[in-house]
PDB file of all heavy atoms in Angstrom:
ATOM      1  N   ARG C 929      91.964 114.606  94.031  1.00  0.00           N
ATOM      2  CA  ARG C 929      92.916 114.300  92.991  1.00  0.00           C
ATOM      3  C   ARG C 929      92.312 114.671  91.668  1.00  0.00           C
ATOM      4  O   ARG C 929      91.112 114.672  91.514  1.00  0.00           O
ATOM      5  CB  ARG C 929      93.250 112.824  93.021  1.00  0.00           C
ATOM      6  CG  ARG C 929      94.132 112.512  94.202  1.00  0.00           C
ATOM      7  CD  ARG C 929      93.710 111.190  94.759  1.00  0.00           C
ATOM      8  NE  ARG C 929      94.648 110.800  95.785  1.00  0.00           N
ATOM      9  CZ  ARG C 929      94.268 110.618  97.029  1.00  0.00           C
ATOM     10  NH1 ARG C 929      93.026 110.845  97.383  1.00  0.00           N
ATOM     11  NH2 ARG C 929      95.129 110.217  97.913  1.00  0.00           N
ATOM     12  N   ARG C 930      93.110 114.909  90.726  1.00  0.00           N
ATOM     13  CA  ARG C 930      92.596 115.339  89.455  1.00  0.00           C
ATOM     14  C   ARG C 930      91.643 114.319  88.941  1.00  0.00           C
ATOM     15  O   ARG C 930      90.750 114.562  88.151  1.00  0.00           O
ATOM     16  CB  ARG C 930      93.742 115.528  88.471  1.00  0.00           C
ATOM     17  CG  ARG C 930      94.249 114.282  87.846  1.00  0.00           C
ATOM     18  CD  ARG C 930      95.535 114.585  87.122  1.00  0.00           C
ATOM     19  NE  ARG C 930      96.522 113.585  87.396  1.00  0.00           N
ATOM     20  CZ  ARG C 930      96.637 112.470  86.683  1.00  0.00           C
ATOM     21  NH1 ARG C 930      95.835 112.244  85.692  1.00  0.00           N
ATOM     22  NH2 ARG C 930      97.549 111.609  86.986  1.00  0.00           N
ATOM     23  N   THR C 931      91.821 113.154  89.475  1.00  0.00           N
ATOM     24  CA  THR C 931      91.056 112.064  89.002  1.00  0.00           C
ATOM     25  C   THR C 931      89.718 111.986  89.639  1.00  0.00           C
ATOM     26  O   THR C 931      88.896 111.225  89.236  1.00  0.00           O
ATOM     27  CB  THR C 931      91.819 110.877  89.383  1.00  0.00           C
ATOM     28  OG1 THR C 931      92.221 111.134  90.694  1.00  0.00           O
ATOM     29  CG2 THR C 931      93.001 110.763  88.568  1.00  0.00           C
ATOM     30  N   LEU C 932      89.507 112.790  90.666  1.00  0.00           N
ATOM     31  CA  LEU C 932      88.278 112.640  91.420  1.00  0.00           C
ATOM     32  C   LEU C 932      87.103 112.817  90.495  1.00  0.00           C
ATOM     33  O   LEU C 932      86.088 112.172  90.605  1.00  0.00           O
ATOM     34  CB  LEU C 932      88.251 113.686  92.494  1.00  0.00           C
ATOM     35  CG  LEU C 932      87.415 113.288  93.664  1.00  0.00           C
ATOM     36  CD1 LEU C 932      88.020 112.074  94.303  1.00  0.00           C
ATOM     37  CD2 LEU C 932      87.329 114.393  94.657  1.00  0.00           C
ATOM     38  N   LEU C 933      87.216 113.745  89.604  1.00  0.00           N
ATOM     39  CA  LEU C 933      86.086 114.015  88.756  1.00  0.00           C
ATOM     40  C   LEU C 933      86.085 113.133  87.571  1.00  0.00           C
ATOM     41  O   LEU C 933      85.134 113.016  86.866  1.00  0.00           O
ATOM     42  CB  LEU C 933      86.154 115.432  88.294  1.00  0.00           C
ATOM     43  CG  LEU C 933      85.015 116.206  88.849  1.00  0.00           C
ATOM     44  CD1 LEU C 933      85.023 117.552  88.236  1.00  0.00           C
ATOM     45  CD2 LEU C 933      83.718 115.552  88.607  1.00  0.00           C
ATOM     46  N   GLY C 934      87.185 112.565  87.272  1.00  0.00           N
ATOM     47  CA  GLY C 934      87.053 111.895  86.084  1.00  0.00           C
ATOM     48  C   GLY C 934      88.039 110.929  85.894  1.00  0.00           C
ATOM     49  O   GLY C 934      89.082 111.041  86.173  1.00  0.00           O
ATOM     50  N   GLY C 935      87.801 110.031  85.410  1.00  0.00           N
ATOM     51  CA  GLY C 935      88.764 109.191  85.299  1.00  0.00           C
ATOM     52  C   GLY C 935      89.116 108.461  84.230  1.00  0.00           C
ATOM     53  O   GLY C 935      90.136 108.055  84.254  1.00  0.00           O
ATOM     54  N   ALA C 936      88.609 108.136  83.250  1.00  0.00           N
ATOM     55  CA  ALA C 936      89.199 107.029  82.731  1.00  0.00           C
ATOM     56  C   ALA C 936      89.484 107.079  81.312  1.00  0.00           C
ATOM     57  O   ALA C 936      88.832 107.701  80.602  1.00  0.00           O
ATOM     58  CB  ALA C 936      88.233 106.016  82.853  1.00  0.00           C
ATOM     59  N   LEU C 937      90.352 106.398  80.952  1.00  0.00           N
ATOM     60  CA  LEU C 937      90.602 106.260  79.555  1.00  0.00           C
ATOM     61  C   LEU C 937      91.501 105.175  79.356  1.00  0.00           C
ATOM     62  O   LEU C 937      92.024 104.702  80.223  1.00  0.00           O
ATOM     63  CB  LEU C 937      91.413 107.355  79.134  1.00  0.00           C
ATOM     64  CG  LEU C 937      90.701 108.445  79.562  1.00  0.00           C
ATOM     65  CD1 LEU C 937      91.498 109.492  79.164  1.00  0.00           C
ATOM     66  CD2 LEU C 937      89.393 108.409  78.987  1.00  0.00           C
ATOM     67  N   ALA C 938      91.844 104.876  78.148  1.00  0.00           N
ATOM     68  CA  ALA C 938      92.841 103.956  78.217  1.00  0.00           C
ATOM     69  C   ALA C 938      93.252 103.324  77.000  1.00  0.00           C
ATOM     70  O   ALA C 938      92.781 103.552  75.978  1.00  0.00           O
ATOM     71  CB  ALA C 938      92.351 102.929  78.995  1.00  0.00           C
ATOM     72  N   GLY C 939      94.088 102.484  77.144  1.00  0.00           N
ATOM     73  CA  GLY C 939      94.679 101.975  75.983  1.00  0.00           C
ATOM     74  C   GLY C 939      94.260 100.610  75.809  1.00  0.00           C
ATOM     75  O   GLY C 939      93.306 100.160  76.345  1.00  0.00           O
ATOM     76  N   SER C 940      94.997  99.929  75.050  1.00  0.00           N
ATOM     77  CA  SER C 940      94.583  98.606  74.880  1.00  0.00           C
ATOM     78  C   SER C 940      95.806  97.824  74.743  1.00  0.00           C
ATOM     79  O   SER C 940      96.841  98.353  74.562  1.00  0.00           O
ATOM     80  CB  SER C 940      93.864  98.511  73.620  1.00  0.00           C
ATOM     81  OG  SER C 940      94.673  99.056  72.689  1.00  0.00           O
ATOM     82  N   ALA C 941      95.656  96.576  74.853  1.00  0.00           N
ATOM     83  CA  ALA C 941      96.879  95.868  74.752  1.00  0.00           C
ATOM     84  C   ALA C 941      96.684  94.482  74.288  1.00  0.00           C
ATOM     85  O   ALA C 941      95.628  93.930  74.388  1.00  0.00           O
ATOM     86  CB  ALA C 941      97.492  95.811  76.079  1.00  0.00           C
ATOM     87  N   LEU C 942      97.723  93.943  73.857  1.00  0.00           N
ATOM     88  CA  LEU C 942      97.690  92.592  73.402  1.00  0.00           C
ATOM     89  C   LEU C 942      98.443  91.734  74.346  1.00  0.00           C
ATOM     90  O   LEU C 942      99.267  92.183  75.083  1.00  0.00           O
ATOM     91  CB  LEU C 942      98.401  92.535  72.100  1.00  0.00           C
ATOM     92  CG  LEU C 942      97.401  92.752  71.049  1.00  0.00           C
ATOM     93  CD1 LEU C 942      97.978  92.225  69.813  1.00  0.00           C
ATOM     94  CD2 LEU C 942      96.161  92.013  71.400  1.00  0.00           C
ATOM     95  N   ALA C 943      98.169  90.514  74.259  1.00  0.00           N
ATOM     96  CA  ALA C 943      98.783  89.626  75.230  1.00  0.00           C
ATOM     97  C   ALA C 943     100.254  89.467  74.957  1.00  0.00           C
ATOM     98  O   ALA C 943     100.687  89.342  73.827  1.00  0.00           O
ATOM     99  CB  ALA C 943      98.132  88.285  75.117  1.00  0.00           C
ATOM    100  N   LEU C 944     100.977  89.456  76.036  1.00  0.00           N
ATOM    101  CA  LEU C 944     102.372  89.125  75.904  1.00  0.00           C
ATOM    102  C   LEU C 944     102.432  87.697  76.386  1.00  0.00           C
ATOM    103  O   LEU C 944     102.389  87.412  77.559  1.00  0.00           O
ATOM    104  CB  LEU C 944     103.191  90.021  76.797  1.00  0.00           C
ATOM    105  CG  LEU C 944     104.659  89.778  76.655  1.00  0.00           C
ATOM    106  CD1 LEU C 944     105.116  90.240  75.295  1.00  0.00           C
ATOM    107  CD2 LEU C 944     105.416  90.477  77.729  1.00  0.00           C
ATOM    108  N   ALA C 945     102.498  86.822  75.430  1.00  0.00           N
ATOM    109  CA  ALA C 945     102.300  85.425  75.788  1.00  0.00           C
ATOM    110  C   ALA C 945     103.273  84.956  76.857  1.00  0.00           C
ATOM    111  O   ALA C 945     102.900  84.243  77.771  1.00  0.00           O
ATOM    112  CB  ALA C 945     102.444  84.571  74.545  1.00  0.00           C
ATOM    113  N   GLY C 946     104.493  85.354  76.752  1.00  0.00           N
ATOM    114  CA  GLY C 946     105.507  84.876  77.684  1.00  0.00           C
ATOM    115  C   GLY C 946     105.230  85.276  79.117  1.00  0.00           C
ATOM    116  O   GLY C 946     105.761  84.683  80.041  1.00  0.00           O
ATOM    117  N   CYS C 947     104.418  86.288  79.290  1.00  0.00           N
ATOM    118  CA  CYS C 947     104.146  86.794  80.624  1.00  0.00           C
ATOM    119  C   CYS C 947     103.057  86.028  81.318  1.00  0.00           C
ATOM    120  O   CYS C 947     102.853  86.163  82.510  1.00  0.00           O
ATOM    121  CB  CYS C 947     103.665  88.228  80.524  1.00  0.00           C
ATOM    122  SG  CYS C 947     104.983  89.354  80.798  1.00  0.00           S
ATOM    123  N   SER C 948     102.314  85.315  80.554  1.00  0.00           N
ATOM    124  CA  SER C 948     101.139  84.713  81.148  1.00  0.00           C
ATOM    125  C   SER C 948     101.493  83.486  81.944  1.00  0.00           C
ATOM    126  O   SER C 948     102.277  82.648  81.520  1.00  0.00           O
ATOM    127  CB  SER C 948     100.176  84.322  80.042  1.00  0.00           C
ATOM    128  OG  SER C 948      99.322  83.337  80.536  1.00  0.00           O
ATOM    129  N   PRO C 949     100.891  83.366  83.096  1.00  0.00           N
ATOM    130  CA  PRO C 949     101.163  82.203  83.925  1.00  0.00           C
ATOM    131  C   PRO C 949     100.600  80.937  83.311  1.00  0.00           C
ATOM    132  O   PRO C 949     101.052  79.854  83.609  1.00  0.00           O
ATOM    133  CB  PRO C 949     100.436  82.532  85.227  1.00  0.00           C
ATOM    134  CG  PRO C 949      99.374  83.509  84.838  1.00  0.00           C
ATOM    135  CD  PRO C 949      99.913  84.262  83.676  1.00  0.00           C
ATOM    136  N   SER C 950      99.628  81.103  82.446  1.00  0.00           N
ATOM    137  CA  SER C 950      98.943  79.911  81.969  1.00  0.00           C
ATOM    138  C   SER C 950      99.455  79.449  80.612  1.00  0.00           C
ATOM    139  O   SER C 950      98.901  78.572  80.010  1.00  0.00           O
ATOM    140  CB  SER C 950      97.443  80.181  81.887  1.00  0.00           C
ATOM    141  OG  SER C 950      97.245  81.258  81.010  1.00  0.00           O
ATOM    142  N   SER C 951     100.475  80.091  80.130  1.00  0.00           N
ATOM    143  CA  SER C 951     100.930  79.707  78.808  1.00  0.00           C
ATOM    144  C   SER C 951     102.448  79.724  78.752  1.00  0.00           C
ATOM    145  O   SER C 951     103.087  80.633  79.235  1.00  0.00           O
ATOM    146  CB  SER C 951     100.371  80.661  77.765  1.00  0.00           C
ATOM    147  OG  SER C 951     101.128  80.544  76.589  1.00  0.00           O
ATOM    148  N   SER C 952     103.009  78.728  78.160  1.00  0.00           N
ATOM    149  CA  SER C 952     104.457  78.715  78.052  1.00  0.00           C
ATOM    150  C   SER C 952     104.868  79.104  76.642  1.00  0.00           C
ATOM    151  O   SER C 952     106.022  79.105  76.301  1.00  0.00           O
ATOM    152  CB  SER C 952     104.990  77.325  78.399  1.00  0.00           C
ATOM    153  OG  SER C 952     104.354  76.384  77.561  1.00  0.00           O
ATOM    154  N   SER C 953     103.867  79.404  75.824  1.00  0.00           N
ATOM    155  CA  SER C 953     104.151  79.783  74.450  1.00  0.00           C
ATOM    156  C   SER C 953     104.983  81.041  74.397  1.00  0.00           C
ATOM    157  O   SER C 953     104.770  81.986  75.123  1.00  0.00           O
ATOM    158  CB  SER C 953     102.834  80.004  73.707  1.00  0.00           C
ATOM    159  OG  SER C 953     103.035  80.924  72.667  1.00  0.00           O
ATOM    160  N   THR C 954     105.967  81.059  73.525  1.00  0.00           N
ATOM    161  CA  THR C 954     106.784  82.255  73.413  1.00  0.00           C
ATOM    162  C   THR C 954     106.632  82.887  72.041  1.00  0.00           C
ATOM    163  O   THR C 954     107.402  83.726  71.646  1.00  0.00           O
ATOM    164  CB  THR C 954     108.269  81.930  73.644  1.00  0.00           C
ATOM    165  OG1 THR C 954     108.598  80.817  72.838  1.00  0.00           O
ATOM    166  CG2 THR C 954     108.540  81.618  75.098  1.00  0.00           C
TER     167      THR C 954
END
Side-chain angles (χ1 to χ4, degrees):
Chain C
R929 287 142 173 119
R930 80 191 135 88
T931 44
L932 206 63
L933 246 187
L937 306 179
S940 52
L942 269 200
L944 183 69
C947 263
S948 158
S950 59
S951 162
S952 56
S953 153
T954 49

